[in-house]
Amino acid sequence: MPQPAPETLDALGLPRWLLRARAGSGAGEVAQATGGVAAVTDSEPAVAASRAGAVPPASTLAAASLAVSAPTNTGRSADVVETLEALRAEVAGCQACALAGGRTQTVFGNGNPHARWMFIGEAPGRDEDARGEPFVGKAGRLLGAMLNALGLTRDEVYVANVVKCRPPHNRDPEAAERAACRGYLDAQIRAVKPELLIALGRVAAASLLETDAALGTLRGRIHALPGSELPVVVTYHPAYLLRQPVHKARVWEDLLRARQLVVPQVV
Ligand code: URA
């Protein structure tokens, strides 16, 4: 088990991302809510050796992904990377829905091609549209901090969105747009072969599970991706947590439950 990095834990051994709230809002409520989390916190929490809260720049992530995929000792590395790169090129030219007209570039996804955990977000925002990488803005930094507290970095998981182009004014992607992009997401899942999907927020949960149920009712249990046995854990979107930090404790619970089901570290 990696040694805790002191900067990721507070005096009680709780991850700092959980307690860090927007100035002037929610910090007390979050601190209170963590009482419930202690019950599911491991006695030996794994904590990242890397910087708390920092998401590596896109170039670092790309390099890390390549470093993981470079060895050709199993054929599988090369195959997965090749498949994902072919898919990335296809997505880059996609004109399947009106979102194509408003994008700076497509945002395919990134991370470890052999990841055990695959996070699914909703759609690129302004930062992602500019960078061409998922979750690189404020919400992405929070996602990075959550991963760090689990002893993970962004290059050990795979991150993708339901739709690959930014919707205007960051509105929710419409059903037709989600449907137009669905084949790409399914192909990413087939290529990476994760052992667990984590749906971040209502749009991702609704798309993956084909349901209109409220997010609160989907949390707290393990679902299966329709038509398969792939487990799906549903939790709040990091952007929502930035507005409602009181729910951070619930997300931490969800992540710890996910870790009980599937060890996230890539071997
Ligand atoms: N929100 C998402 O759902 N996805 C991103 O990539 C960024 C923000």
Side-chain angles (χ1 to χ4, degrees):
M1 192 65 74
Q3 282 307 302
E7 72 273 22
T8 55
L9 297 183
D10 75 352
L12 297 173
L14 288 168
R16 288 196 189 282
W17 74 265
L18 201 64
L19 300 166
R20 213 181 288 130
R22 264 191 323 171
S25 78
E29 288 167 299
V30 172
Q32 262 186 346
T34 53
V37 173
V40 291
T41 301
D42 287 353
S43 56
E44 224 190 326
V47 178
S50 62
R51 309 146 317 279
V55 176
S59 55
T60 313
L61 286 173
S65 301
L66 285 176
V68 168
S69 58
T72 46
N73 51 344
T74 70
R76 182 172 177 245
S77 282
D79 289 354
V80 178
V81 172
E82 215 170 275
T83 303
L84 289 172
E85 287 315 306
L87 200 53
R88 182 191 295 276
E90 199 180 324
V91 166
C94 180
Q95 297 289 333
C97 78
L99 294 183
R103 72 186 179 217
T104 304
Q105 58 193 313
T106 53
V107 177
F108 178 67
N110 66 16
N112 194 307
H114 306 297
R116 288 176 155 171
W117 281 18
M118 184 163 171
F119 287 85
I120 315 286
E122 175 179 325
R126 190 184 49 194
D127 295 323
E128 290 76 21
D129 176 70
R131 289 261 299 269
E133 304 284 348
F135 283 96
V136 291
K138 266 191 192 167
R141 283 192 288 281
L142 182 53
L143 178 61
M146 296 177 199
L147 292 174
N148 289 169
L150 287 169
L152 290 168
T153 58
R154 277 282 292 264
D155 47 334
E156 286 177 273
V157 299
Y158 198 87
V159 181
N161 282 309
V162 169
V163 301
K164 314 302 187 201
C165 298
R166 183 191 182 198
H169 311 294
N170 294 345
R171 67 156 168 75
D172 286 355
E174 292 169 359
E177 294 159 352
R178 290 173 0 209
C181 238
R182 182 60 199 247
Y184 295 134
L185 180 59
D186 287 340
Q188 282 174 299
I189 296 171
R190 278 198 305 274
V192 175
K193 296 188 177 58
E195 292 169 46
L196 178 76
L197 297 180
I198 300 188
L200 296 171
R202 186 181 51 80
V203 170
S207 301
L208 288 172
L209 300 177
E210 299 167 12
T211 175
D212 288 332
L215 190 128
T217 68
L218 298 171
R219 280 189 58 249
R221 56 204 162 98
I222 311 294
H223 304 265
L225 189 70
S228 83
E229 289 179 2
L230 183 57
V232 181
V233 165
V234 172
T235 196
Y236 291 109
H237 193 288
Y240 178 71
L241 293 185
L242 291 170
R243 299 191 300 275
Q244 298 287 338
V246 69
H247 293 314
K248 284 180 173 182
R250 293 185 179 155
V251 173
W252 186 236
E253 269 179 30
D254 296 336
L255 293 175
L256 293 179
R257 276 207 198 91
R259 190 171 67 178
Q260 276 169 5
L261 190 69
V262 174
V263 174
Q265 275 82 7
V266 177
V267 283

